[in-house]
Amino acid sequence: MNAPLREDAVRYQGFSPSRVGALVLRHVYLLRSSWPRVLEVIYWPLVQMVMWGFLQSYLNQQSGMLAQAGGTLIGAILLWDILVRSQLGFSVSFLEEMWSRNMANLLISPLKRSELLVALMSVSVIRLAIGILPVTLLAIWFFGFNLWRLGLALGAFFANLLLTAWAVGILVSGLVLRNGLGAEGFAWTIMFLILPVCCVFYPVETLPEFLRFVAWSLPPTYVFEGMRALMFEGNFRADLMIRALAINGLFILVAGFVFIRLLDSARRAGTLLSLGE
Amino acid sequence: MLSPESAPAIEVTDLVKAYKSVTAVGGISFAIRAGSVTGLLGGNGAGKTTTIGMILGLVLPTSGLIRVLGHDIGTERHRVLHRMNFESPYVALPHRLTVRQNLRVFGRLYGISDVEGRIEELADELNLREFVDREAGKLSAGQKTRVALAKALINRPEILLLDEPTASLDPDTADWARTRIEEFRAARGATILLASHNMHEVERMCDDVIMLKAGLIVDRGAPAELLARYGRDTLEDVFLDIARNRGAAAELAGAK
């Protein structure tokens, strides 16, 4: 028989936006209290944009294909940064809980696994906005490149990159939960594993035949191909975005499943009480 | 408040936790009466923290059943987590957040309707006023314990699990923390499960003591009962008898 609730006991509820908000608030407080964290979020996208921007300016002075290819460099690097920064925003927020030895407190609170993940997704968007928004505006000022000019297409690119970043972030978080902070290196490096095959700077046709299948199994490839189609031909490839969305849906489902399995594995191994130590 | 006749607040049946070559908990069963303070006593590696971890759902048992407030922790954990809380010096609160920010976050996580009011209450009850707006990472050990206790009490839990709550505290601060926990229990009728190495603490606070050794319950009773059974003056001597299998402990073990 279940014990009766005391009058003032808070009641059980399903998915709670309020609990998601509580965890988001925790990370907003963290960012507000630490300017080095904010600087870290901004400085790398800024450095990338400036470096690739100068290269693009140089290539634009050339003629033919080189100039055409150069025209997409800043766009490619900004979209790549959206992907990397979103994943890092997710993973670093997760790691913050591990570094501060707070994860056990969260896991014994009423916060559900789904709420934890949605909160980390929300924080990744906040961190991305802090890092990328000023850089896109500076790109207009420095190099006359306006990412926002892409309009609705940018929305489709952004959504797909964000979904991929979250799927990877969920996977990395599961690995860290299961294996402890020894696995945190994945958070910083895993995205660069797919950099050569998701064709950020060159078309898929550049890859050898056997790698093209791998490339087309990664949603970011569709985004970068879509960006080139838009910038070279003025053609928004909705078909590419829909395919990317479908693969992303699958990625998120698989990542969520793996995360739950890794969390259960950590509970079986009894490592959650000593997390962060 | 729950009546003494009601179902046990915590009920553990045939609980086993085995790792590859080590059995941390070897098949224990116990029930904890609602409103009582029960001590889990045992040496290092006796299985105290693992047992608490399983009750919280942080550690999955190899086999056995845990019911908290009537809910199976294996399948209905989220129906009861908001009615429980936990304090241990081995987990921490985010260092960069102030005490108030931390309590606000956890108050919202636990669905407290008047979080700011609750923070004010806790600030008065636990003397947090002088540092409530200071970063948690910049507090002394004693202040951190008070804050950890505030977090553990934020939802006025019906079940409070404490894992060595006064470890590394000076005697004065430790005594202060015990008094606050006793006051909370008296005011709210909470059920408390306390794992501790501090015999004085267990003797003072607990109605009932479960003695663990190598993952098994070797004895159980009120502190006065245990003292009488082992013919000792202090729980520390009882603990040493059991740990070293000497005196009455050896005879009792032989009789079993």
Side-chain angles (χ1 to χ4, degrees):
Chain A
M1 193 182 121
N2 296 345
L5 270 178
R6 279 194 327 215
E7 279 176 21
D8 58 351
V10 287
R11 288 182 180 276
Y12 165 82
Q13 45 181 274
F15 185 92
S16 163
S18 167
R19 287 194 290 262
V20 172
L23 195 56
V24 171
L25 182 67
R26 174 258 190 276
H27 286 277
V28 170
Y29 284 147
L30 181 68
L31 285 170
R32 268 182 17 190
S33 73
S34 172
W35 65 262
R37 280 180 171 83
V38 176
L39 191 65
E40 188 273 329
V41 169
I42 296 175
Y43 101 95
W44 189 242
L46 185 66
V47 168
Q48 292 252 70
M49 186 273 289
V50 170
M51 184 180 74
W52 290 94
F54 282 129
L55 182 61
Q56 175 167 313
S57 299
Y58 168 70
L59 291 175
N60 282 346
Q61 292 160 14
Q62 312 303 307
S63 58
M65 284 298 289
L66 208 54
Q68 197 182 29
T72 65
L73 275 181
I74 286 196
I77 205 65
L78 287 175
L79 290 179
W80 171 251
D81 258 344
I82 287 174
L83 179 65
V84 174
R85 293 292 129 193
S86 312
Q87 181 262 319
L88 279 178
F90 187 104
S91 299
V92 169
S93 305
F94 181 86
L95 287 171
E96 292 280 5
E97 305 299 356
M98 304 281 286
W99 293 329
S100 62
R101 295 194 296 137
N102 187 41
M103 189 52 79
N105 278 327
L106 294 180
L107 293 175
I108 61 138
S109 80
L111 186 77
K112 294 191 168 76
R113 292 175 294 202
S114 55
E115 292 163 355
L116 170 68
L117 296 181
V118 170
L120 293 175
M121 289 172 184
S122 309
V123 176
S124 81
V125 174
I126 293 170
R127 294 179 73 112
L128 179 68
I130 294 170
I132 291 288
L133 233 122
V135 174
T136 58
L137 297 176
L138 286 171
I140 301 172
W141 186 39
F142 282 0
F143 302 108
F145 179 83
N146 186 357
L147 191 70
W148 302 96
R149 187 188 60 196
L150 299 177
L152 277 179
L154 178 63
F157 297 158
F158 181 82
N160 271 309
L161 292 173
L162 210 53
L163 287 171
T164 308
W166 289 343
V168 175
I170 292 169
L171 199 65
V172 169
S173 303
L175 286 171
V176 174
L177 261 185
R178 177 61 188 86
N179 300 293
L181 283 172
E184 79 167 277
F186 284 117
W188 309 102
T189 56
I190 197 166
M191 237 8 151
F192 293 93
L193 197 68
I194 67 166
L195 175 61
V197 280
C198 70
C199 302
V200 179
F201 302 112
Y202 39 79
V204 176
E205 288 71 40
T206 315
L207 297 177
E209 194 74 44
F210 73 96
L211 271 181
R212 289 183 198 171
F213 173 76
V214 179
W216 286 120
S217 66
L218 300 169
T221 306
Y222 296 83
V223 171
F224 294 111
E225 283 295 305
M227 178 204 68
R228 280 185 285 273
L230 189 65
M231 296 185 81
F232 290 159
E233 301 150 24
N235 177 21
F236 174 61
R237 295 279 306 273
D239 59 322
L240 292 179
M241 294 305 101
I242 290 166
R243 268 184 255 167
L245 196 63
I247 300 173
N248 267 324
L250 186 67
F251 273 26
I252 290 276
L253 282 177
V254 170
F257 176 76
V258 172
F259 178 84
I260 289 169
R261 295 299 297 263
L262 288 168
L263 177 58
D264 284 345
S265 173
R267 290 169 71 202
R268 261 192 303 280
T271 53
L272 295 181
L273 268 177
S274 57
L275 281 178
E277 287 181 330
Chain B
M1 192 185 296
L2 294 166
S3 69
E5 294 77 31
S6 58
I10 300 173
E11 198 173 3
V12 168
T13 311
D14 299 328
L15 191 64
V16 175
K17 181 61 195 176
Y19 300 107
K20 280 176 190 167
S21 57
V22 179
T23 300
V25 175
I28 60 173
S29 299
F30 60 85
I32 294 178
R33 186 170 50 83
S36 66
V37 181
T38 301
L40 273 181
L41 206 54
N44 295 322
K48 305 184 299 292
T49 300
T50 304
T51 302
I52 285 187
M54 287 191 280
I55 293 170
L56 289 165
L58 281 178
V59 179
L60 279 181
T62 305
S63 63
L65 184 70
I66 300 167
R67 294 184 80 81
V68 176
L69 297 170
H71 294 281
D72 180 351
I73 283 293
T75 55
E76 299 180 314
R77 186 168 165 257
H78 276 286
R79 294 196 174 273
V80 76
L81 282 176
H82 60 283
R83 301 166 71 183
M84 304 166 70
N85 215 319
F86 171 60
E87 191 217 333
S88 162
Y90 307 115
V91 294
L93 294 171
H95 301 180
R96 297 287 308 193
L97 271 61
T98 67
V99 173
R100 187 186 300 279
Q101 288 170 339
N102 268 305
L103 293 178
R104 192 175 286 145
V105 168
F106 279 96
R108 291 183 182 194
L109 283 175
Y110 279 90
I112 307 303
S113 52
D114 177 17
V115 178
E116 300 307 320
R118 182 65 185 140
I119 293 171
E120 293 305 310
E121 272 178 29
L122 287 167
D124 287 335
E125 289 167 15
L126 301 175
N127 293 342
L128 309 178
R129 286 245 171 258
E130 57 178 302
F131 53 84
V132 74
D133 290 308
R134 206 181 300 164
E135 285 183 12
K138 293 181 177 166
L139 304 178
S140 69
Q143 289 170 331
K144 279 180 183 167
T145 298
R146 281 193 253 172
V147 175
L149 198 54
K151 175 259 157 191
L153 301 182
I154 188 94
N155 59 327
R156 302 183 182 94
E158 292 163 68
I159 307 276
L160 183 58
L161 296 138
L162 304 169
D163 189 11
E164 300 180 41
T166 58
S168 78
L169 293 181
D170 67 67
D172 180 43
T173 312
D175 178 70
W176 179 92
R178 286 176 203 125
T179 304
R180 298 290 86 74
I181 294 167
E182 285 170 335
E183 283 173 359
F184 174 76
R185 180 235 183 160
R188 311 294 305 179
T191 307
I192 298 175
L193 181 61
L194 166 77
S196 179
H197 283 130
N198 188 313
M199 305 305 142
H200 165 69
E201 181 168 275
V202 171
E203 214 167 329
R204 167 177 159 179
M205 294 181 68
C206 298
D207 311 308
D208 190 19
V209 179
I210 295 171
M211 307 291 293
L212 285 174
K213 185 179 177 184
L216 295 170
I217 295 176
V218 290
D219 212 337
R220 180 176 183 174
E225 286 171 7
L226 291 171
L227 295 178
R229 195 175 304 154
Y230 289 83
R232 293 293 189 175
D233 294 327
T234 65
L235 266 187
E236 184 159 341
D237 288 331
V238 173
F239 178 90
L240 289 173
D241 283 352
I242 290 173
R244 295 173 185 175
N245 202 26
R246 69 184 189 193
E251 290 167 23
L252 288 167
K256 285 176 188 171

